[in-house]
Amino acid sequence: MTIEPDPLTVPQGIPAVDQAAHTPKAQFSEVLIVTGMSGAGRSRAAAVLEDLDWYVVDNLPPKMLMPLVGMMTHAGSSIYRLAAVVDVRGREFFNDLYEVLQHFETVGVSYRIMFLDASDEVLVRRFEQVRRPHPLQADGGILDGITVERSLLTGLKSRADFVIDTSERNVHDLARVVRSTISDDHQDQLRINVMSFGFKYGIPLDADHVADMRFLANPFWIDELRHLTGRDEPVSDYVLSLPGAQQFIENYVKALQPVFAGYLNEEKRFATVAIGCTGGKHRSVAISEEIGKRLRALGFGVTVTARDLGKE
């Protein structure tokens, strides 16, 4: 009987990755190559993409993209948006990017290129502000490194789907441009967590807004309601019918709307509204559910949570 030799492993027991292996066609995947001039805002763009639920890899050797994209096509994979920051920090590996892009085109993987750029003067100033050398300046100056990099990236810039000039943009402006370029309407909305809590357990540390429901009568003192929670209809009906409850909800939701609009304008994409009562079981839970319902009706993405429910 002929015994087949063991496959090459790196390290022992792990099959070596064949770089020439065929990458399956990504039918439901998005691949975005983020590249451009050093100091032009690639890191900020990557952070924005992460907030938009992209899987972001930074400074990955280009040839490693082929097996990574192949993993995205496997059944059961939860990763379907990959953003890879590829730039001259990869040194000699960077030149492999053109080969990888050709490979994607051959096997039918759809990709886009986002190129970040800025004027030489702005790039020099940014490097001087952070007191770091340009990755390609070697024994020369910052401008020498920028000149070399611009020459290396000329062909890639001409192939880019999006070219973003950040010369006159701050980090918030850049974030807005990246979002408007890449995101859809669902991704670009504010995500709100309406959280009920009990004051006796402490105010949530991550709350952006806190409201106190202890001005309402406490269902705890009604025997028929004590064992129930604000998610139960008898308690909810009781709390929402109390004097001042509906007026508070209506005015509070109305007051939050310009705040949320301002959050979006200032690139804040997550907000926590904390609604409290004594124990976080009755009033705060019922009011939180109703506020969440009204915010959803206005088009916001809302999650309603009860931090202290069940602690009693």
Side-chain angles (χ1 to χ4, degrees):
M1 180 177 66
T2 303
I3 299 177
E4 296 292 335
D6 291 334
L8 176 64
T9 58
V10 185
Q12 184 177 5
I14 302 176
V17 176
D18 181 4
Q19 292 183 346
H22 176 74
T23 304
K25 181 176 180 179
Q27 297 179 348
F28 303 99
S29 301
E30 297 180 69
V31 178
L32 179 67
I33 307 298
V34 180
T35 187
M37 297 296 294
S38 300
R42 295 184 309 248
S43 296
R44 177 57 175 162
V48 173
L49 291 167
E50 283 188 342
D51 290 343
L52 294 174
D53 293 328
W54 286 68
Y55 182 81
V56 179
V57 291
D58 191 6
N59 202 21
L60 186 74
K63 281 195 175 181
M64 295 300 295
L65 286 172
M66 292 190 285
L68 185 56
V69 170
M71 291 169 59
M72 294 170 60
T73 65
H74 290 174
S77 173
S78 61
I79 299 173
Y80 60 95
R81 288 193 296 258
L82 170 67
V85 182
V86 182
D87 50 70
V88 296
R89 290 174 297 165
R91 302 181 184 275
E92 63 268 20
F93 295 123
F94 177 73
N95 294 326
D96 295 331
L97 179 59
Y98 296 97
E99 177 185 342
V100 171
L101 296 181
Q102 181 60 51
H103 175 76
F104 284 166
E105 294 168 5
T106 300
V107 301
V109 173
S110 178
Y111 68 87
R112 293 178 292 174
I113 299 175
M114 175 184 289
F115 192 98
L116 283 296
D117 201 358
S119 67
D120 290 356
E121 294 79 6
V122 169
L123 293 175
V124 169
R125 184 169 66 249
R126 289 175 182 173
F127 274 104
E128 288 179 340
Q129 288 174 344
V130 298
R131 299 182 179 181
R132 294 193 63 189
H134 188 282
L136 297 181
Q137 73 179 67
D139 295 329
I142 294 173
L143 189 56
D144 295 320
I146 291 173
T147 301
V148 174
E149 183 177 32
R150 212 174 272 289
S151 177
L152 289 172
L153 296 178
T154 298
L156 195 58
K157 182 178 180 179
S158 65
R159 299 178 58 170
D161 298 273
F162 319 107
V163 177
I164 302 175
D165 190 322
T166 68
S167 300
E168 303 299 326
R169 291 189 169 100
N170 59 34
V171 292
H172 302 298
D173 294 333
L174 173 57
R176 277 187 281 270
V177 172
V178 172
R179 286 181 182 276
S180 64
T181 301
I182 296 298
S183 67
D184 54 33
D185 292 338
H186 173 72
Q187 292 173 317
D188 204 38
Q189 68 179 348
L190 180 70
R191 282 181 268 180
I192 304 167
N193 178 26
V194 181
M195 177 193 297
S196 62
F197 72 96
F199 277 97
K200 69 179 182 180
Y201 300 112
I203 297 175
L205 296 177
D206 57 347
D208 297 290
H209 302 271
V210 177
D212 185 355
M213 296 300 100
R214 290 175 295 184
F215 71 93
L216 299 172
N218 193 348
F220 178 84
W221 302 113
I222 300 176
D223 292 338
E224 294 82 4
L225 302 180
R226 183 175 302 162
H227 67 288
L228 301 175
T229 77
R231 289 176 175 170
D232 294 309
E233 188 174 345
V235 174
S236 178
D237 290 345
Y238 173 81
V239 171
L240 295 180
S241 66
L242 289 170
Q246 293 294 335
Q247 183 181 5
F248 166 79
I249 293 170
E250 181 178 348
N251 291 338
Y252 193 56
V253 169
K254 186 180 297 184
L256 287 172
Q257 290 180 59
V259 175
F260 292 159
Y263 282 168
L264 286 171
N265 189 56
E266 292 301 315
E267 289 303 311
K268 179 177 172 65
R269 301 288 155 170
F270 309 93
T272 297
V273 177
I275 309 296
C277 63
T278 304
K281 180 179 180 180
H282 296 111
R283 293 166 291 181
S284 62
V285 175
I287 298 295
S288 294
E289 294 289 345
E290 182 64 21
I291 289 176
K293 184 187 303 182
R294 298 201 186 191
L295 289 174
R296 289 192 194 99
L298 292 172
F300 292 103
V302 181
T303 301
V304 179
T305 58
R307 190 194 70 175
D308 299 326
L309 204 59
K311 286 186 177 180
E312 293 186 356

